[in-house]
Structures are given as structure tokens and as C-alpha cells.
Amino acid sequence: MTGTAPVPFTADDYKARMDRAARQAADAGLAGLLVAPGPDLVWLTGYAPPAVTERLTLLVLAAGREPVLVVPTLEAPDAEKATGAPALALRDWTDGKDPYALTAALLDGRGRFGVSDNAWALHLLGLQQALPGTSYVSLTEALPMLRAVKDAAELERLAAAGAAADAAFEEIRNVRFSGRRESEVAADLAALLRRFGHAQVDFTIVASGPNGANPHHEAGDRRIERGDMVVLDFGGLKDGYGSDTSRTVHVGEPTEEERRVHDLVREAQEAGFRAVRPGAACQHVDRAARAVIAGAGYGEYFIHRTGHGIGVTTHEPPYMIEGEERPLVPGMCFSVEPGVYLPGRFGVRIEDIVTVTEDGGRRLNETERDMVIVD
């Protein structure tokens, strides 16, 4: 079951994104944006190069000017097929030519530019040598909210990705855990995500017993035992948009303390969700969830932020963390995932993706949040 295909993005959609990015860059005092292959380029143009190599590929955006995509000649035919290609000009260069001289001719020689975070140092240094009067700032620093507010088509894809991850959980809760290695259950999870439509699996955390106290534990050879708490955290990309959900299950009957800690995290997750509303600061979500855990005496064991944004990547701005005062805006999507991690014993995390609505928030994950008992 993969569900129906989403409505495709159009050249007009990509043109609107590029225009908006150029305007935001100008408003931020930048001469333009330089976007290398990666999630930003895919989001802005629909183009993902067949391979990321040392050859320069760069989208140049500036307010009031036509977007230009600089590409190696041998990759120009692929670039021309991108959905967003009609909304930009292509400038290709052949091996043996200087791509930095070609790009420099498109730039203000004394301008300050936002550069996508995954641009290669090789290319940035090449541009600096060609235009020593220019300066650069990372795109996340300059325009952290560029991709943060999703439109209706993006929200539809995120909801479908969340539903697919939920379907994977409903299946995995029925498999045998006891006596199997964490890596075996993680492989089951990855297969289920793909079965339910994910083209890319980014992570399948299966953290049993004391391993659950490590939030980013890599599933390994430990055999899961009866009496273990098991943190499951998994997600990836479906139709280009991310899923990410966590549930904590128990193999056999839990102890009173294990149930109490699980209930505490569930209560904190609910508090974080209820704190979501337009105009509230991102840190308000973190504070709401953290207050519940701290109030029960476990504050020192909640060792990470409450949430992160999600879209064409599974981690992106905005972040639900103390000190982030940016207001929530309808269309933002992010995780709400408090946890308690008791070193050497067990951990608990419960995570949903939430989108901001006009009057509050809406969960994109709806599987059971009460403790699930597995075999």
C-alpha cells in the first residue's frame, strides 16, 4: 500500500519559490543566493543532479534578475528536464573552461551572498578567488525560515509520509522482539517504510534496554530481552517529503517505574503539542514539554531539544529549543519529541510531527501513545 500519487509541482510553483527566495534575500540585505546541489536546489527548481561531483553546479538568484543555473555541459540535458527549468536560464560550461569566471560574471563583485549550507568549500573558495570583493553567509543563518512554511501541496505530502510511518509502526508492533537483534528489527522497519511508499529511509533507531538511554543509538547486535523498554525512532522521505516518528514499546509487562516514566513522557508530549499555536515562540513548545518532565524530578534526563522542523529533509529549521524566539506560523511543520533517558537503564521518547494551523496545531502521526506491549 503506497497511497495515491501526490499532485505534481509545476514550473509555476518553482518560479514562485525562486522569486520568494530572491525577495527574502534582498530584504535580508543580500546581493543574492548561491544554491549548490542538495535539498535547497531540489526545493527551488526540482533539479537533483545525477551525481554530486567536483564539477560546479550552482543556482544564482537575485531580486529583479532571471534565475540562472550554472551546470556542466555534460549534465545540461538532465537540468533541462527539471520541472523548474522553464523558469530559469541555463549556463553550461565544458571541461577545461573556468566555471568560476562564468559564475562571477553573474554576480555583484562586491556583494554579500547567502550560500546553501552544503556547498563545497572548493567552489566557494573558487568564487572568492574570482571575486575577492565578495563575502558569504550560510543560507541557514541568513534565511533560516526559507523553507519553513509549507503550502497546501507540501502539507499533503508531509501528511502522507506521516501516515506511511504510522502504518509501519502498526505492523512492527506485531512482530517478535524478544530474542532478536536490534539490527533485525531495524531492518524490518526499513522494509516496512519502503513497503508503504518511502523512497529513502534515513534512520531506523531500535534502542533496547540500556541502549534506550542514548537518543541516537545505532541499532546493533544486542539481543532484545523480555523486560526491555525499546525506543523506536524511524523515518525517511516519501514523494520528496519527510517522516519522523518515535514510539517506545515494552517487551512483556513493564515495571511500575517504567510505566510511570512512559506516562510522564506522554504527558510532556501532549503539553508540547497543546502549546502549538500561531504567534507563540518556538521556545514555548520546548518549555511546555520540559516543564512537565522537570516538575516530576527528571529534568536532568531530558537531554535534547523538544523538536526540529521537517520538509524536504528530516531535520531543518525551525527548532523547538530554549532561546528560539521566532513565532510559529501556520504551515510550519516540526517534531514534538520529549524524552527521558536514564543511563544504564532505559529511555523513553514519544514523537509526532505537528503542523501549525490557524488556531492551534494538527498532528501528522496518530498511532497509539500509551505504552504498547510487544512479544
Side-chain angles (χ1 to χ4, degrees):
M1 182 188 78
T2 59
T4 58
V7 176
F9 296 124
T10 67
D12 286 342
D13 293 326
Y14 290 116
K15 181 180 186 304
R17 291 176 185 179
M18 287 188 281
D19 288 347
R20 175 156 57 95
R23 288 195 306 271
Q24 289 186 14
D27 291 344
L30 299 174
L33 301 179
L34 307 177
V35 184
D40 291 312
L41 185 63
V42 173
W43 184 78
L44 287 163
T45 68
Y47 177 52
V52 178
T53 72
E54 74 284 354
R55 293 185 174 95
L56 179 71
T57 295
L58 201 67
L59 175 67
V60 179
L61 296 177
R65 298 180 61 181
E66 182 180 29
V68 177
L69 182 64
V70 177
V71 295
T73 299
L74 76 168
E75 293 176 4
D78 293 303
E80 290 170 348
K81 296 175 186 175
T83 304
L88 51 78
L90 285 178
R91 299 284 186 272
D92 65 304
W93 61 276
T94 58
D95 287 351
K97 302 295 184 180
D98 184 355
Y100 306 113
L102 170 63
T103 307
L106 305 171
L107 306 181
D108 175 351
R110 304 194 63 79
R112 182 170 175 79
F113 295 89
V115 182
S116 55
D117 297 358
N118 53 335
W120 285 23
L122 170 72
H123 299 319
L124 189 57
L125 292 170
L127 285 175
Q128 286 181 316
Q129 185 173 6
L131 292 174
T134 55
S135 60
Y136 305 90
V137 60
S138 77
L139 196 55
T140 291
E141 180 181 345
L143 299 177
M145 297 295 110
L146 178 62
R147 303 194 320 248
V149 179
K150 275 64 178 179
D151 61 25
E154 291 181 292
L155 290 173
E156 179 182 335
R157 293 186 185 216
L158 282 161
D166 283 358
F169 177 73
E170 294 296 353
E171 292 281 338
I172 202 69
R173 63 183 289 181
N174 293 317
V175 309
R176 182 170 58 84
F177 279 69
S178 61
R180 302 180 68 208
R181 299 183 189 279
E182 293 174 340
S183 57
E184 293 173 327
V185 178
D188 288 345
L189 264 175
L192 286 167
L193 286 170
R194 292 190 179 95
R195 188 211 298 178
F196 291 115
H198 281 65
Q200 176 178 314
V201 176
D202 288 341
F203 48 89
T204 51
I205 293 172
V206 178
S208 64
N211 290 340
N214 175 1
H216 283 172
H217 171 70
E218 291 281 343
D221 289 336
R222 183 183 186 275
R223 289 196 182 275
I224 302 169
E225 304 172 353
R226 293 196 69 80
D228 279 349
M229 195 86 88
V230 185
V231 179
L232 306 173
D233 184 346
F234 50 97
L237 299 182
K238 181 182 186 296
D239 296 318
Y241 281 75
S243 68
D244 185 2
T245 187
S246 301
R247 294 292 185 264
T248 303
V249 302
H250 198 277
V251 186
E253 285 301 315
T255 65
E256 182 179 338
E257 182 190 20
E258 287 171 333
R259 191 174 290 279
R260 183 174 68 250
V261 172
H262 190 281
D263 288 347
L264 174 65
V265 174
R266 180 173 52 79
E267 181 184 348
Q269 207 270 345
E270 177 69 17
F273 168 68
R274 293 195 177 280
V276 175
R277 63 177 182 274
C282 292
Q283 68 181 3
H284 182 63
V285 178
D286 182 81
R287 288 176 175 178
R290 200 168 299 276
V292 173
I293 292 173
Y298 287 89
E300 66 182 292
Y301 303 112
F302 181 8
I303 57 176
H304 55 72
R305 65 198 174 202
T306 293
H308 58 81
I310 190 168
V312 292
T313 57
T314 49
H315 281 211
E316 61 185 46
Y319 298 104
M320 306 301 111
I321 189 171
E322 181 66 30
E324 180 52 85
E325 297 181 349
R326 287 186 178 86
L328 299 178
V329 176
M332 284 182 173
C333 292
F334 47 84
S335 65
V336 177
E337 51 176 307
V340 169
Y341 308 94
L342 303 178
R345 301 181 63 205
F346 65 88
V348 177
R349 181 163 64 256
I350 301 172
E351 173 186 16
D352 295 324
I353 298 302
V354 173
T355 183
V356 184
T357 64
E358 293 296 333
D359 57 1
R362 175 170 68 95
R363 284 185 167 105
L364 301 186
N365 297 105
E366 289 295 353
T367 54
E368 188 172 346
R369 296 175 196 90
D370 291 334
M371 182 179 288
V372 170
I373 307 299
V374 297
D375 290 331

